[in-house]
Amino acid sequence: EAAVTQSPRNKVAVTGGKVTLSCNQTNNHNNMYWYRQDTGHGLRLIHYSYGAGSTEKGDIPDGYKASRPSQENFSLILELATPSQTSVYFCASGGDWGGQNTLYFGAGTRLSVL
Amino acid sequence: AQRVTQVQPTGSSQWGEEVTLDCSYETSEYFYRIFWYRQLFSGEMVFLIYQPSFDTQNQRSGRYSVVFQKSFKSISLVISASQPEDSGTYFCALSELILGYKLTFGTGTSLLVDP
């Protein structure tokens, strides 16, 4: 069973503080993703990675950094958190394009920036 | 640029009815795939079914099927014999080969199936 684990599940941060969201996958997938979900917007891609050491900007990367130190781990970093970054964040992993390969999602992290 | 549109923010049905959820998309690529996910009330995202662009046959998986109208860039998810457990938010997502393996999501349709 594909497994993607996010931590923490809930986080309250102060404006201007640094926040790190972590993601671990045991699927041995090359690709990992960070999405945020907001009402009326669906899921929007922030950063993604094709393998250890690589990170790519998604559709809404401003204010976020990403780090992929290993195949299994992918972090999302908010250096200076702002209230507009209050959202639910989802990490996902996926194999290479083709067939029924799809993305497997973590349970989400609810972040509130006060 | 790719875009996915789900114009129905909400939907409802009675137990046992067939439900159709609509999705349209924009792409200039030949190779792409459309995925459907359901988000449970817990937030969990569950993969339901996918349709590859090069396959003219509508895909089926259990009670889920799609109606793929490639020339109109439209795809509908059909849920047969809907049940209260099918309630949740349904997302359509586009994946284009040229962009690697990324999914672009629609805004979702929230479905409520009455018992």
Side-chain angles (χ1 to χ4, degrees):
Chain A
E1 180 72 19
V4 179
T5 305
Q6 294 182 230
S7 63
R9 291 296 313 281
N10 293 281
K11 173 74 177 179
V12 179
V14 296
T15 298
K18 181 177 180 178
V19 177
T20 300
L21 306 183
S22 300
C23 179
N24 175 273
Q25 56 109 351
T26 59
N27 309 318
N28 198 31
H29 287 155
N30 289 330
N31 308 308
M32 295 187 74
Y33 310 82
W34 278 105
Y35 287 87
R36 64 177 283 178
Q37 184 177 21
D38 304 287
T39 303
H41 289 282
L43 279 79
R44 293 180 291 173
L45 183 64
I46 307 170
H47 283 289
Y48 60 103
S49 168
Y50 290 132
S54 90
T55 61
E56 305 288 337
K57 292 181 179 180
D59 300 320
I60 53 165
D62 293 346
Y64 302 94
K65 290 184 178 179
S67 174
R68 183 86 181 271
S70 65
Q71 178 83 339
E72 298 79 17
N73 296 295
F74 191 38
S75 298
L76 185 68
I77 304 153
L78 292 65
E79 294 279 4
L80 294 170
T82 68
S84 65
Q85 294 175 313
T86 293
S87 186
V88 180
Y89 292 85
F90 286 94
C91 176
S93 75
D96 295 328
W97 206 93
Q100 192 175 283
N101 284 344
T102 184
L103 298 192
Y104 294 89
F105 286 84
T109 294
R110 188 172 297 274
L111 174 65
S112 295
V113 182
L114 306 178
Chain B
Q2 69 276 33
R3 178 182 288 187
V4 179
T5 302
Q6 295 179 256
V7 296
Q8 307 157 287
T10 61
S12 64
S13 75
Q14 300 292 321
W15 197 338
E17 289 181 343
E18 181 177 276
V19 176
T20 298
L21 306 177
D22 299 322
C23 173
S24 62
Y25 56 91
E26 297 176 17
T27 180
S28 56
E29 297 302 314
Y30 180 79
F31 289 110
Y32 58 90
R33 294 179 296 166
I34 305 291
F35 292 85
W36 281 95
Y37 285 84
R38 176 163 72 105
Q39 186 171 38
L40 309 182
F41 293 122
S42 66
E44 180 182 357
M45 296 287 286
V46 178
F47 164 69
L48 300 176
I49 192 169
Y50 89 108
Q51 174 73 47
S53 61
F54 52 81
D55 193 340
T56 57
Q57 202 163 25
N58 293 324
Q59 301 299 299
R60 298 189 65 90
S61 178
R63 292 188 296 111
Y64 303 108
S65 62
V66 299
V67 177
F68 183 41
Q69 298 181 290
K70 185 175 179 177
S71 59
F72 293 106
K73 292 190 168 63
S74 163
I75 185 166
S76 297
L77 174 71
V78 180
I79 307 172
S80 63
S82 62
Q83 304 166 6
E85 305 89 88
D86 294 327
S87 298
T89 303
Y90 288 78
F91 290 96
C92 172
L94 167 69
S95 173
E96 298 170 306
L97 174 59
I98 193 169
L99 295 177
Y101 202 160
K102 299 190 303 178
L103 293 185
T104 298
F105 284 82
T107 52
T109 298
S110 181
L111 174 68
L112 182 63
V113 180
D114 289 326

